[in-house]
């Protein structure tokens, strides 16, 4: 059986789709699973060895230069690659017009199905027009967890039950893993403090108080924009045990999360990656609903706060100490 998953972005959403792969292979061990994903997240999907082919999608880059001959050629090659295989099932678990178009262009065997979401979740960017590309649309409770949504859609189409904890299919940390020069040899904590939306951030004073409580443990501060780098430098100036990292590639950011002794972060993709690796993680919710993305598959994940109710520094410190003492 050939299956295509269409989940192109964003980082957290792609991550939350990974358990579908283990679910399918558990019930259909011989299934071939391909995936269409934005080119920036290919390195994340590649970590799952059960995905056969990854088809990079570069709409974010293409739409800036659609007039260029080279870009148009690249778009054409994408669709030719997409159509090389006839699939038994194509799943669009994102529910957007752009992912619907990809689903529509994919080839299916006679009687093959194109399956997607019949409705969005609360606060999602779901686009109902995506249903025109479906042969079957699966309705879900609008308050279904982000990880469960895709799993339930695929399970409904393939005729099995979702009855096991999420398995992201990501590799375990090994002492033989090569480490980049920026990664310390000693155990470290990482602050995933940055996020695109300011209301989702945790107050700098809280991060500083937490860092003082963790001392002398090394704290690493990644960043993804000039603004986040400036915020990281403010934290590092107040914490002698913290240091600002160089700008990391997506692959290195995943490595950072994978090897962390402790990760503390707001509701953002890299925090969820650390949780997917089942690292000890404190997830901090300040302005997003906790039910939607909280890590609920491992006792090493502690979820604190909720929309409009950020946790105190004392609560996060207590959770961090508990996780560290249990290792």
């Amino acid at each position: 059986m050939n299956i295509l998953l269409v989940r192109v972005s964003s980082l957290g959403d792609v991550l939350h789709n990974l358990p579908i792969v283990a679910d399918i292979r558990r019930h259909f061990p011989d299934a071939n699973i391909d995936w269409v994903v934005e080119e920036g997240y290919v390195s994340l999907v590649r970590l799952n060895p059960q995905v056969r082919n990854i088809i990079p999608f570069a709409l974010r880059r293409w739409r800036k230069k659609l007039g260029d001959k080279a870009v148009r050629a690249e778009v054409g090659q994408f669709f030719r690659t997409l159509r090389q295989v006839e699939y038994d099932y194509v799943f669009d678990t994102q529910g957007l017009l752009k992912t619907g178009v990809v689903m529509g262009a994919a080839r299916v065997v006679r009687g093959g199905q194109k399956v997607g979401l019949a409705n969005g979740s609360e606060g999602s960017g779901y686009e109902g027009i995506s249903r025109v590309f479906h042969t079957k649309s699966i309705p879900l409770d609008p308050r279904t967890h982000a990880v469960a949504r895709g799993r339930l859609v695929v399970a409904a189409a393939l005729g099995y039950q979702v009855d096991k904890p999420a398995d992201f299919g990501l590799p375990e940390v090994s002492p033989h893993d090569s480490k980049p020069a920026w990664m310390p040899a000693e155990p470290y904590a990482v602050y995933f403090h940055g996020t695109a939306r300011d209301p989702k951030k945790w107050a700098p004073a809280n991060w500083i108080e937490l860092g003082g409580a963790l001392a002398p443990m090394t704290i690493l501060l990644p960043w993804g924009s000039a603004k986040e780098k400036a915020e990281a430098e403010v934290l590092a100036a107040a914490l002698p045990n913290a240091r600002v990292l160089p700008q990391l590639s997506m692959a290195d950011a995943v490595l950072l999360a994978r090897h962390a002794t402790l990760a503390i972060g707001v509701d953002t993709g890299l925090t969820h990656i650390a949780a997917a690796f089942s690292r000890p993680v404190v997830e901090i919710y300040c302005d997003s609903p906790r039910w939607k993305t909280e890590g609920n598959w491992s006792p090493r994940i502690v979820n604190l706060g909720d929309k409009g109710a950020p946790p105190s520094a004392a609560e996060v410190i207590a959770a961090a100490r508990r996780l560290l003492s249990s290792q």
Side-chain angles (χ1 to χ4, degrees), residues 19-38:
I20 294 172
V21 177
D23 290 347
I24 294 172
R25 292 301 296 269
R26 189 179 302 118
H27 294 90
F28 302 95
D30 296 327
N32 299 310
I33 303 169
D34 297 344
W35 192 317
V36 177
V37 68
E38 265 286 345

Side-chain angles (χ1 to χ4, degrees), residues 9-223:
S9 62
S10 59
L11 176 59
D13 293 333
V14 172
L15 175 80
H16 290 149
N17 223 49
L18 281 171
I20 294 172
V21 177
D23 290 347
I24 294 172
R25 292 301 296 269
R26 189 179 302 118
H27 294 90
F28 302 95
D30 296 327
N32 299 310
I33 303 169
D34 297 344
W35 192 317
V36 177
V37 68
E38 265 286 345
E39 60 183 359
Y41 308 126
V42 165
S43 60
L44 173 61
V45 178
R46 190 174 285 134
L47 288 174
N48 189 318
Q50 301 300 323
V51 178
R52 180 182 63 173
N53 295 321
I54 302 171
I55 306 173
F57 184 64
L59 183 61
R60 294 180 179 182
R61 177 170 55 81
W62 291 337
R63 62 187 172 193
K64 295 175 184 177
K65 295 184 177 181
L66 280 175
D68 288 7
K69 184 177 179 180
V71 169
R72 293 198 304 273
E74 195 176 339
V75 173
Q77 184 58 53
F78 164 78
F79 283 105
R80 285 191 292 275
T81 301
L82 176 69
R83 293 177 58 79
Q84 283 177 353
V85 176
E86 285 190 332
Y87 292 99
D88 297 278
Y89 290 89
V90 180
F91 292 103
D92 170 13
T93 59
Q94 196 153 0
L96 301 177
L97 176 58
K98 65 182 179 182
T99 51
V101 168
V102 172
M103 167 186 270
R107 296 168 61 214
V108 293
V109 299
R110 186 169 183 173
Q113 294 192 42
K114 297 183 176 183
V115 185
L117 297 158
N119 60 289
S121 59
E122 285 185 16
S124 74
Y126 176 79
E127 295 172 345
I129 194 173
S130 62
R131 293 195 298 272
V132 304
F133 301 100
H134 300 176
T135 57
K136 180 182 288 186
S137 302
I138 308 296
L140 295 174
D141 187 309
R143 281 209 164 199
T144 304
H145 190 282
V147 173
R149 287 179 66 76
R151 297 181 74 194
L152 290 169
V153 166
V154 176
L158 297 183
Y160 60 80
Q161 298 294 314
V162 175
D163 54 7
K164 293 187 181 298
D167 175 1
F168 292 82
L170 298 175
E172 297 288 333
V173 173
S174 166
H176 304 294
D177 292 338
S178 60
K179 296 181 180 180
W182 52 260
M183 184 178 287
E186 71 272 12
Y188 65 85
V190 58
Y191 280 5
F192 293 122
H193 60 94
T195 182
R197 203 159 58 80
D198 284 348
K200 292 173 70 175
K201 294 178 179 177
W202 202 42
N206 290 333
W207 289 113
I208 292 168
E209 185 176 346
L210 171 63
L214 292 176
M217 188 178 198
T218 298
I219 297 170
L220 301 184
L221 301 169
W223 51 276

Side-chain angles (χ1 to χ4, degrees), residues 225-298:
S225 67
K227 182 180 180 182
E228 289 178 9
K229 184 179 182 183
E231 292 167 347
E233 288 168 344
V234 169
L235 298 180
L239 293 168
N241 54 321
R243 69 181 164 90
V244 179
L245 290 172
Q247 189 166 26
L248 302 180
S249 66
M250 176 56 62
D252 275 350
V254 170
L255 200 62
L256 171 69
R258 181 184 174 197
H259 285 272
T261 305
L262 173 68
I264 308 105
V266 294
D267 178 23
T268 190
L270 289 172
T271 305
H272 300 312
I273 285 176
F277 278 111
S278 292
R279 306 307 298 157
V281 178
V282 182
E283 296 189 358
I284 298 171
Y285 290 85
C286 299
D287 193 59
S288 50
R290 195 167 88 184
W291 64 263
K292 201 168 190 176
T293 59
E294 64 180 338
N296 56 11
W297 50 85
S298 168

